Structures are given as C-alpha cells and as structure tokens.
Amino acid sequence: MAAKQADLLPDQLQDSLRLVFVGTAAGKRSAADGYYYAHPGNRFWSTIHEVGITSRRYEPREFADLLTAGIGFTDLCKSDAGMDHEIAGHSIDVPAFRTKMLRHRPRTIAFTSKQAASLFYNRPTRLIELGRQQSMEEDFPQIFVLSSPSGAASSHWTPQPWHELSNWIAAP
C-alpha cells in the first residue's frame, strides 16, 4: 500500500471557524512558497482587507495567523498545483472536503472561484452564480461563491460578492 502524499499546502482548519476560504488547488507559486494565494498578482490579500474581512492587510506568509481571527483555508485538491485547467480531475476530492466541513462546522464557506464551486456542485461553471448560495442541507455551512482573485482571471473580477461575504460574516 502506497503512503499518502503530503498535502502541498496544509489545511488551516479548526472547529467552529467563522469562515473557510476554498480554492480548487494551490497555485504553483503558492505550492513553491508554502503560502495560500502567494502569487504577487493575486488580489486575495488586498481584497479581504479592503472589504473588511480582516482589520489589516496580511501577507501570504501570515496565512496561518488568520486562524486566530476565525478564518481558515483549504482546497478541493490537496495533491496537485497549478491553474484550475491544469489540475487533474482525479485529484479533486469533493467527498474529503465535505467530510472536513461537516467535522469542523465553519459558519461559512467561500469558494474563491466559480470553477471550485462548479466542482463542488458538479455543475457547469456557466450555471454557477456569484454570491451567497441557496442552502444545500440543514447541517452544512452557508456557501458563497467569489470572483477569482487570480490575476489570470482579471477580466471576470468583481469585488461585489466579496463585499456581500464581508457583510454576511459581520452579521451577528
């Protein structure tokens, strides 16, 4: 029996987080550096500060510090790195992701691209809407779909769903 390959980027999860950001897989720069959303062209870190999710702008190397603010990170694929279209379909593990979310029970999940949400919902990307999603199950966290902060997705960028998410997690 082969040993399980170590995750390229470790999950940053604990019980009862207020928010978990979920990507498809680590980008090549993130995998190389060991930090979520590490590419300098990625607007993730500036956006979460600008919309009020964090009180200051964090650097990618500080991602683990966000656990103390109730924010976690994971990806649907933990064993492969690259842009969404470069990730092998067999390496996407939606059942493992679902199990983690049911175990840790965050209040909210935010997919950081329509592609990640498409894989989770098993629906074509064109059918995925940005923003807050209809509840799937009574015991599953609230889901948001965000526009991708990747520089490669700039033509589809809108901060609107990020603001909607910020307002949602700020609510009592």
Side-chain angles (χ1 to χ4, degrees):
M1 179 150 107
K4 181 186 181 299
Q5 178 181 349
D7 293 345
L8 292 175
L9 278 179
D11 286 336
Q12 293 295 302
L13 299 172
Q14 62 188 25
D15 291 349
S16 303
L17 291 169
R18 65 184 175 118
L19 175 60
V20 173
F21 286 107
V22 184
T24 303
K28 289 180 182 175
R29 175 72 178 262
S30 291
D33 290 355
Y35 313 136
Y36 284 86
Y37 307 100
H39 194 282
N42 194 303
R43 52 174 68 87
F44 178 84
W45 297 102
S46 61
T47 300
I48 63 171
H49 173 62
E50 289 166 10
V51 302
I53 292 173
T54 60
S55 60
R56 69 171 178 88
R57 182 174 174 164
Y58 285 81
E59 296 297 321
R61 63 181 160 66
E62 298 178 289
F63 76 94
D65 295 349
L66 271 82
L67 277 176
T68 60
I71 298 171
F73 297 90
T74 192
D75 293 303
L76 297 178
C77 171
K78 299 302 291 176
S79 61
D80 206 356
M83 295 178 73
D84 286 354
H85 70 275
E86 298 173 320
I87 304 303
H90 69 271
S91 65
I92 304 292
D93 196 346
V94 172
F97 166 74
R98 177 181 281 285
T99 298
K100 288 181 221 179
M101 294 304 100
L102 289 170
R103 180 181 338 122
H104 293 291
R105 302 224 180 261
R107 177 177 180 224
T108 307
I109 296 167
F111 289 106
T112 58
S113 72
K114 287 176 74 171
Q115 177 64 23
S118 171
L119 292 164
F120 175 75
Y121 286 116
N122 195 27
R123 283 190 280 189
T125 305
R126 71 180 187 285
L127 299 179
I128 303 294
E129 297 291 328
L130 294 174
R132 186 173 168 199
Q133 306 297 299
Q134 292 284 6
S135 295
M136 292 179 35
E137 309 164 18
E138 192 172 310
D139 62 344
F140 206 76
Q142 179 62 59
I143 296 174
F144 279 77
V145 178
L146 307 173
S147 54
S148 174
S150 170
S154 289
S155 64
H156 301 287
W157 172 253
T158 176
Q160 184 276 328
W162 293 80
H163 282 286
E164 183 183 351
L165 171 65
S166 180
N167 292 337
W168 167 261
I169 65 170

